[in-house]
Amino acid sequence: MEILEFVLQVVLGITSLLLTLLILLHKGRGGGLSDMFGGGMSSSLGSSGLAERNLNRFTVVLALAWFVAIVALGLITKLQGI
């Protein structure tokens, strides 16, 4: 059980970092922090529709993996307390 818990913690750490990076890669929708760093001026230089869709899909899959790791760690912690 300790090995599974360690593997899930590593998966959680990696998915957390990757999810943060992927969210920051998304194109800003106007206003907010993206304009502060020049995102508003380069609207014509945005990614293509296919690249944006693939980024969205990868972000959703990674978010699901992150959620599964959280739930699994919670269940392991609960079962160890019994």
Side-chain angles (χ1 to χ4, degrees):
M1 203 58 121
E2 293 176 10
I3 295 173
L4 179 62
E5 186 177 1
F6 177 75
V7 168
L8 285 172
Q9 287 176 351
V10 169
V11 167
L12 182 64
I14 291 171
T15 56
S16 296
L17 290 174
L18 287 176
L19 198 56
T20 302
L21 291 174
L22 284 177
I23 289 171
L24 290 174
L25 281 175
H26 277 83
K27 184 170 53 172
R29 300 287 181 216
L33 289 177
S34 65
D35 285 340
M36 183 187 303
F37 296 111
M41 291 184 282
S42 62
S43 62
S44 63
L45 301 175
S47 62
S48 69
L50 180 64
E52 188 72 25
R53 273 184 277 150
N54 287 337
L55 182 62
N56 288 340
R57 289 177 186 154
F58 193 62
T59 304
V60 168
V61 168
L62 199 61
L64 288 174
W66 180 82
F67 181 75
V68 168
I70 291 280
V71 170
L73 278 171
L75 289 174
I76 288 173
T77 304
K78 184 177 180 180
L79 290 176
Q80 285 179 349
I82 293 177

